[in-house]
Each structure stands twice: as structure tokens, then as C-alpha cells.
Amino acid sequence: MSMQRPVSQYLSSVALVVSLVAVAAGISFLTKRITEETFRVSVVHALSGKDKPAVVVKPIRPKGGSSMSYSRVFAVTYPGGKSATAFLVSVTGHSGPFSALYVARPGSEAVFSGLVGVAHPDETWRYGLTDRVIESWAERVTAVAGKYGEEK
Amino acid sequence: MKRNTGLFLFALCPLIPATAKFSYALVMAAALFFFFFAGLFFREIVKKIDGGNSGSLLELACLAGASALFVSVMHAVYPILAVTLEMYVYVAAFSFVLLLSVDSFSYRSINVPPVIAFIPIMVSFAAVRELIGCGVISLPTHSGMLEVPVFERFGFSVVRFWGTTGGALILAGFFTWLFRLLVSDRGAGGKQA
């Protein structure tokens, strides 16, 4: 004789999982603005500063079909009106993963613009990132950047 | 347990690159703590609603939800670190050491769950690895990580090797051998006495 479970048990199970996901989505929604602002400021800091032009950075929505690796995309506007697309990606070298910034101008290859969130953003050797790893990611970002064109 | 050692160690492999920095290890330690207590909480709820054969699947689904929740909080508190650690946090939620600890934990027993014993080992290993390999200690901040220099002269290539993933695996193997040697010597000494 098979024992059928009450519907309430199934509903409780579903409700538990759904509530967890809802709480996670809620936190993500509530903190979206501060998170985006932190990313924006970090990208501005990486691209601007001594001997570098001041830039205006704006987060943009990733294009459909991009993997999670390319989910942080920014529209960059330089003095004089030139624009580019910046990608914040996780690059893994000999010493583990680090956040790296790549900037791609329309029709050009992506260029590595430094690590984000570390004390020595231009000294990639300190963090186990070789030139080959940097170049490999530049090629990948160039392929993805082709979808974005010129963003304002 | 002996037959599962290989799976046990394999499940921990993603944590080697994730603990490249002391700041990463602190975040991963917080994640493992959260997942352990969340796992216990969901285990009790699943018992109460009598999940039956699908109870373990429900626990895993709840752990997935808990990992999504932790990542959401991590995005808010440490957004730059979240870019690099997001994947490893999701993987850690399903690591064998965590699931084993949740399943075998008993409120009547005084045994330390494996994940609770693993966390200080992971954090201290990351600290040693970063000190030897880079000469700094990093702390997580909202805009990335704060690197505090400790050994100014460390940074030349021979020493820097120990901060790489390969160096970490060699160090882990060496300390595992040393630990097992000490444990087997202590066991042999006890038997002779």
C-alpha cells in the first residue's frame, strides 16, 4: 500500500526554496545601486588619475548570450567625446583569481587597463598574471566586445 | 570514509585558487560557516516537513538558495571580491566536507564537524601562503583588498613560487605528509606504552 504525501508537504518544500531565492533576489535588488556605484568608482579610478585622462563611466546592461564572465560592462567616455566599452572580468593566474579591467574601442582590440581592487594594479607579476594570460583574456574580450558597438 | 578520501580532496581543489589571498580565505571561511549552519537549519526543517526520499534533494536545493543569498550579500559588502569569488562560493556550498559535516552533525556529540576543523586550517594556510609568496597580508574592503606589507623584501621569483597554486599544492602535500607522520608516530607510541 503506497502512502501518498499530503499536498502541504510538497507546497512547504516549494515554498522554502522559493522564499530563499526571493530573499536573495530582494537583497540583490536593494543593494544593486551601491554595488554598481562601487564598480563605477573602481573603473573610474583604474582609468583616470595621474597621467591618465579623466573619464566618465556608466554601467550598461550585458548583451544577451554573454556568459557570466562578461556580466560587468561599462560605457566609457573620454574627454573629447571618444567612447569605449570596459569589461571587468575575473582573470586567474598562477596565484589565483583577480579582477581585471579591459577597455575595447570600436573597431580595435581590447586593451588591458590594470587590475581592480589591489594595491599595485599595473604590476601583474605580483599577482601571478603572465603576459600570456593577459593577452589571452584580451582576445576573449575583443570577441565579446564586437557585440556592443559604440555605447553612450 | 577512507574510500571517499579521493573525492573529499577533489571536492576541496577549487579552494586552492580561492585561498590565494588571506582576504579571499576570510570570505570563504564566512561562506563555509554560513553554509554549515544554514545546512543544519534546513536539515531540521526537512525533517519536520518529512521530506522522505527527496529530503536530501530538498536540502541541496535549499543550500543552493543559501549560496545565492550569500553571494547577494557579498556583492553588497565586497563587490570587487565578489567578481573573483562568486564561482568558488557556489562550489563551496556543495563541497563534500560541508555536506558530510551537515549530515553527520549531532547535538549530543562533542565531535568537531570536519568543516569547522577545516576552516582555521584553510585561513592559516592562506595567510602563510600569502606571507611567504608575496610578503603581504590582505584584508577585504568594499573597494577590493587592503594589502599590508609585512616582509618588504619578499617578492623575488624563488620565494614568490610558494604563493602560486603549484607552490600551494606542494606545501599542502608536504604538510599533509608531516601531519600523517606525526599522527602515525603518536599512534605507534601509544600502542607501545
Side-chain angles (χ1 to χ4, degrees):
Chain A
M1 185 171 76
S2 62
M3 299 282 291
Q4 288 198 335
R5 299 189 178 285
V7 175
S8 60
Q9 282 187 353
Y10 292 111
L11 289 177
S12 304
S13 308
V14 171
L16 183 61
V17 178
V18 168
S19 60
L20 272 172
V21 174
V23 170
I27 291 175
S28 180
F29 177 76
L30 289 171
T31 57
K32 184 181 174 186
R33 187 170 288 183
I34 191 171
T35 303
E36 279 186 358
E37 180 60 19
T38 303
F39 282 133
R40 192 193 67 78
V41 168
S42 298
V43 172
V44 169
H45 182 72
L47 295 177
S48 302
K50 191 182 173 185
D51 298 332
K52 292 179 187 174
V55 298
V56 174
V57 173
K58 187 181 76 171
I60 57 177
R61 185 170 292 188
K63 296 285 185 191
S66 301
S67 75
M68 201 170 83
S69 303
Y70 309 100
S71 60
R72 283 151 195 111
V73 191
F74 307 87
V76 179
T77 307
Y78 292 92
K82 285 190 178 173
S83 64
T85 310
F87 295 82
L88 188 62
V89 295
S90 174
V91 177
T92 302
H94 295 311
S95 298
F98 295 94
S99 300
L101 189 67
Y102 284 84
V103 177
R105 297 191 191 221
S108 300
E109 290 185 358
V111 174
F112 173 70
S113 299
L115 299 175
V116 175
V118 296
H120 307 279
D122 295 323
E123 296 173 17
T124 55
W125 56 270
R126 284 181 182 267
Y127 306 100
L129 295 171
T130 61
D131 290 340
R132 189 65 198 104
V133 171
I134 299 292
E135 285 165 12
S136 165
W137 271 96
E139 289 167 12
R140 291 188 221 181
V141 171
T142 302
V144 173
K147 294 182 192 174
Y148 287 84
E150 194 161 324
E151 299 280 345
K152 299 267 178 185
Chain B
M1 180 64 184
K2 205 172 180 180
R3 278 194 303 167
N4 287 328
T5 304
L7 181 62
F8 196 99
L9 293 173
F10 179 74
L12 292 174
C13 274
L15 297 181
I16 291 288
T19 52
K21 290 288 196 182
F22 185 64
S23 53
Y24 292 173
L26 289 178
V27 174
M28 293 303 296
L32 285 173
F33 259 126
F34 176 72
F35 293 148
F36 174 63
F37 289 108
L40 291 179
F41 173 72
F42 296 131
R43 189 185 72 172
E44 297 306 314
I45 289 191
V46 167
K47 275 184 195 170
K48 280 203 171 10
I49 62 176
D50 192 16
N53 292 335
S54 56
S56 57
L57 287 175
L58 181 58
E59 283 183 37
L60 289 176
C62 290
L63 268 177
S67 64
L69 179 61
F70 187 88
V71 167
S72 298
V73 173
M74 191 170 64
H75 273 289
V77 181
Y78 301 125
I80 305 298
L81 293 190
V83 173
T84 51
L85 291 179
E86 192 172 21
M87 183 185 73
Y88 298 106
V89 170
Y90 284 125
V91 169
F94 300 98
S95 64
F96 189 69
V97 66
L98 177 74
L99 299 178
L100 181 71
S101 304
V102 170
D103 285 344
S104 61
F105 182 78
S106 168
Y107 296 104
R108 296 183 199 129
S109 169
I110 57 170
N111 289 334
V112 176
V115 71
I116 300 296
F118 173 70
I119 286 172
I121 296 172
M122 176 183 71
V123 172
S124 48
F125 185 72
V128 167
R129 185 182 161 191
E130 191 172 23
L131 277 172
I132 294 175
C134 307
V136 301
I137 274 286
S138 62
L139 298 168
T141 64
H142 189 67
S143 56
M145 62 178 97
L146 172 68
E147 293 180 24
V148 179
V150 177
F151 303 125
E152 292 286 347
R153 294 185 187 277
F154 275 45
F156 52 95
S157 58
V158 172
V159 179
R160 224 177 330 122
F161 168 74
W162 299 109
T164 65
T165 302
L169 286 170
I170 292 174
L171 278 176
F174 173 74
F175 285 117
T176 303
W177 166 77
L178 194 63
F179 175 76
R180 294 187 69 159
L181 188 67
L182 292 171
V183 167
S184 63
D185 279 353
R186 189 176 293 176
K191 282 181 185 172
Q192 284 176 0

